Amino acid sequence: MKKRKWTTFDIVLTAFMLFMIVITLYPFLNILAISLNNAVDTARGGIHIWPRDFTFANYQEIFGSNDRLLQAFFMSILRTIVGTITGIIASTMLAYVLSRRDFVFNGLVGFLLVLTMFISGGLIPEYMLIRQLGLINDFGVYIWPLLISAFNVIIIRSFMDNLPIALEESAKMDGANDFVIFTKIIIPLCLPVIATIALFLAVMQWNSWFDTYLYARSSEALTTLQFELMKILDNANISSGDITSQNAEVIAGQTNPQSIKMAITIIATVPILMVYPFLQKYFVTGLTLGAVKS
């Protein structure tokens, strides 16, 4: 078999793609290198993609300064799993109703749904509502306020609108009701967009910390990983003070806040990053087909 000769276009394209890979991976590798480098040495600068003085001291400082991180880690996992599953169920069911052409209030409900993307009650009314619902210091505060997202519903509905109407008509002729059509036909065909929205929800739930700060900071059992890491980061910044005192602390052998920031970034990023490979094959298809209506 004759080998294909490389053209100028092939060389330029390969070089460009390698360049894109480098600039994409470099920030993450740089953060990882700094997090694994000695704090005193990090203050000198010049760390790129490999630690100059390898150590786990930064991670030991984080986990040693807060004995609630393990509890917070499991709570973050729990809220991510429960919030993603319930969000998918609610958004998919609402999107299916809005995609039905025989739904009388289709236009009105769709208008009110889109309206929520532009108009918000504000932080104070939201807090008052959460308090009146009895969700303060309750696990439900992580689930119910984030149950429905107008953006997610619109994406799923657009995907459903592209499905052949003949599938539903033939199922009805065979005696299937709406629930059977939804569970046996619509859901299997919508797996790409469901996986895409599941990824959106999982990342949102995993990264959330402000709701913990507002509604559950007095409950140790409901604290989340992001909230605890945020507190550690704030303490590191406060203890560092201005540039002069920060340099003095580094010289004295104490932890460099820059190293703490990078270690916290790795701790917060790696767990959710491990989800991407399992959903990658659905991501492009679901987002593309869900965003464009034929």
Side-chain angles (χ1 to χ4, degrees), residues 16-30:
F16 175 76
M17 295 305 297
L18 289 175
F19 174 74
M20 293 299 296
I21 292 174
V22 170
I23 64 174
T24 301
L25 292 179
Y26 176 77
F28 184 80
L29 294 177
N30 178 251

Side-chain angles (χ1 to χ4, degrees), residues 72-80 84 200-209 224-227 229 267-273:
F73 180 76
F74 284 115
M75 179 55 62
S76 291
I77 293 178
L78 180 62
R79 71 168 292 181
T80 299
T84 300
F200 290 165
L201 291 173
V203 172
M204 179 189 65
Q205 287 282 1
W206 179 262
N207 289 331
S208 295
W209 66 268
T224 58
L225 179 64
Q226 307 296 340
F227 181 62
L229 293 178
I267 295 173
T269 303
V270 170
I272 195 64
L273 197 63

